[in-house]
Amino acid sequence: MRKRLFGRLLAIGAVALATPGLAQGNGFEAQFDNALGTELRTPQTLDAIYSTPLERQLAQLADSSNGRIGVYAIDLSTGREIGVLADQRFPMASTSKVAIAAVFLAGVDEGRWSLTSEFRLPRPGRVYLPAYKHLSLMISKSCNDCTDALLQAVGGPRAVNKWMRDAGIEGFQLTRDIATLIREDGRVDPAWSVDAKDSATPRAMGQLLAGIYRGKWLSDYSRRVLLDAMEETTTGKRRMRSALPASANLAHKTGTLSRTASDIGIFHTPDGRAIAAAIYVTGQSPSMAIENGSRSRKLEARANRDARISNITQALYYGFGPNTDDGRNWASADYGGE
């Protein structure tokens, strides 16, 4: 019963975030009042009204009945946005590595260190690698030790949080290094609980991608270093990558922890417009206990989360595409089951 009610509240929140204007001012509160009423009574309807086909499709694909799902996307040519639970926090997992890389590259631009500066891996062995190698591996291969080496170099989570705040991005909090994050993984079920530690909103991560792509904080060279590393990402092949043609030139970073999967990236529509998107999926199995009860259940849940990300990415790719009255291309869209 608790999960059903929570799912209803999430659905209403999704309406407010996906519909222009409702997420600001008193619109969000009004949406709750209209749907649930100001008195203790059973609502007559929880049906949402969406103004565009993309909003309706996205709300369906991001249904939160089996775990919270957050989505944010922005057309970097027009500034047009869409989101579901875009301002709710989700576990960043390894998507935080994009922020860490951006902070390090900003330090390169400031002359604090260089891409040839060497930093030691945190594990025993005292192996030193040049920064460019750390950065490439932490993004393209999601190397945790390389991430912690650069995170220590920039001054730890506090330095990353400060950089994000100075960049004007809210809804981001890095708390631990990756090694600690992994050791403590699984203590909270992200499908039904919101933990502020090492979390971000989809909007915050989408804004980070948008600023990187537009060259807002990094030099042209540093911007290209980071985007090139993201284009070489080999993890999460069944997520964003599986939904897009090669011509979309996807540059992305995946994240995976207990009961959560994510993918943030920039892809291009057929007419060349860049879309920054952040997708966070939790749950997609009956419970943490059931998922952890057997290997087959765990693999099934992981596949379900990956499929959600893939289907949502496909909807965004066609939904932001050209050749329709409202700027969306639905002719080729195929939304298969999961």
Side-chain angles (χ1 to χ4, degrees):
M1 187 65 177
R2 173 179 174 271
K3 291 182 179 179
R4 287 183 181 176
L5 177 59
F6 190 62
R8 286 184 177 182
L9 294 175
L10 290 177
I12 297 166
V15 176
L17 293 170
T19 306
L22 289 181
Q24 299 180 3
N26 294 325
F28 188 83
E29 295 177 2
Q31 182 70 5
F32 271 86
D33 290 341
N34 291 336
L36 295 179
T38 57
E39 300 176 2
L40 292 177
R41 63 178 184 268
T42 302
Q44 294 181 347
T45 179
L46 288 174
D47 293 338
I49 300 175
Y50 299 94
S51 60
T52 68
L54 178 56
E55 288 176 356
R56 290 192 291 271
Q57 188 66 43
L58 196 61
Q60 177 184 348
L61 293 172
D63 171 68
S64 296
S65 59
N66 288 321
R68 299 184 302 125
I69 298 176
V71 182
Y72 174 81
I74 178 171
D75 184 328
L76 299 184
S77 296
T78 66
R80 189 156 164 248
E81 303 170 296
I82 191 167
V84 174
L85 298 185
D87 295 309
Q88 191 168 115
R89 286 178 178 267
F90 289 81
M92 285 189 287
S94 288
T95 63
S96 67
K97 295 173 182 178
V98 175
I100 297 169
V103 175
F104 183 85
L105 288 168
V108 171
D109 292 340
E110 295 166 1
R112 299 171 61 191
W113 43 68
S114 74
L115 286 172
T116 57
S117 300
E118 293 191 343
F119 299 93
R120 184 172 66 86
L121 290 171
R123 292 178 185 264
R126 297 189 176 278
V127 176
Y128 284 80
L129 293 175
Y132 71 84
K133 193 69 172 178
H134 282 294
L135 194 144
S136 175
L137 291 173
M138 70 183 276
I139 298 295
S140 66
K141 305 297 183 184
S142 206
C143 173
N144 295 331
D145 288 343
C146 294
T147 304
D148 283 346
L150 294 191
L151 179 59
Q152 182 179 19
V154 302
R158 287 186 179 181
V160 179
N161 293 335
K162 182 180 184 303
W163 188 90
M164 291 288 282
R165 288 194 303 270
D166 291 346
I169 298 175
E170 300 178 352
F172 176 98
Q173 180 177 325
L174 190 66
T175 310
R176 297 161 286 189
D177 62 17
I178 301 298
T180 305
L181 175 65
I182 292 174
R183 282 198 307 270
E184 298 178 354
D185 182 30
R187 297 182 180 181
V188 176
D189 185 354
W192 310 112
S193 300
V194 179
D195 187 358
K197 290 188 296 185
D198 298 291
S199 70
T201 66
R203 185 185 305 275
M205 300 309 284
Q207 290 175 342
L208 173 64
L209 294 177
I212 290 171
Y213 184 85
R214 290 166 168 163
K216 192 173 181 179
W217 308 297
L218 302 177
S219 67
D220 289 343
Y221 181 79
S222 290
R223 167 186 173 275
R224 194 64 258 168
V225 167
L226 181 49
L227 291 176
D228 284 350
M230 292 174 66
E231 288 177 5
E232 294 171 0
T233 291
T234 60
T235 57
K237 294 180 180 178
R238 292 189 175 95
R239 299 180 191 177
M240 280 189 175
R241 178 77 62 188
S242 68
L244 299 169
S247 59
N249 296 320
L250 175 65
H252 70 131
K253 181 72 196 79
T254 61
T256 305
L257 284 172
S258 176
R259 299 264 289 165
T260 185
S262 49
D263 209 345
I264 65 172
I266 300 165
F267 60 83
H268 294 80
T269 59
D271 60 346
R273 285 174 293 115
I275 308 296
I279 306 172
Y280 290 84
V281 177
T282 66
Q284 309 311 306
S285 65
S287 70
M288 180 180 288
I290 291 176
E291 182 173 327
N292 293 335
S294 70
R295 177 174 172 78
S296 61
R297 290 275 193 169
K298 181 170 289 188
L299 292 175
E300 179 183 6
R302 287 179 179 176
N304 288 342
R305 290 190 285 269
D306 287 353
R308 287 278 189 175
I309 293 174
S310 178
N311 289 341
I312 290 169
T313 302
Q314 186 181 55
L316 293 173
Y317 177 74
Y318 287 115
F320 276 107
N323 304 325
T324 63
D325 292 339
D326 57 0
R328 303 167 179 79
N329 178 359
W330 293 92
S332 302
D334 179 19
Y335 303 103
E338 297 176 10

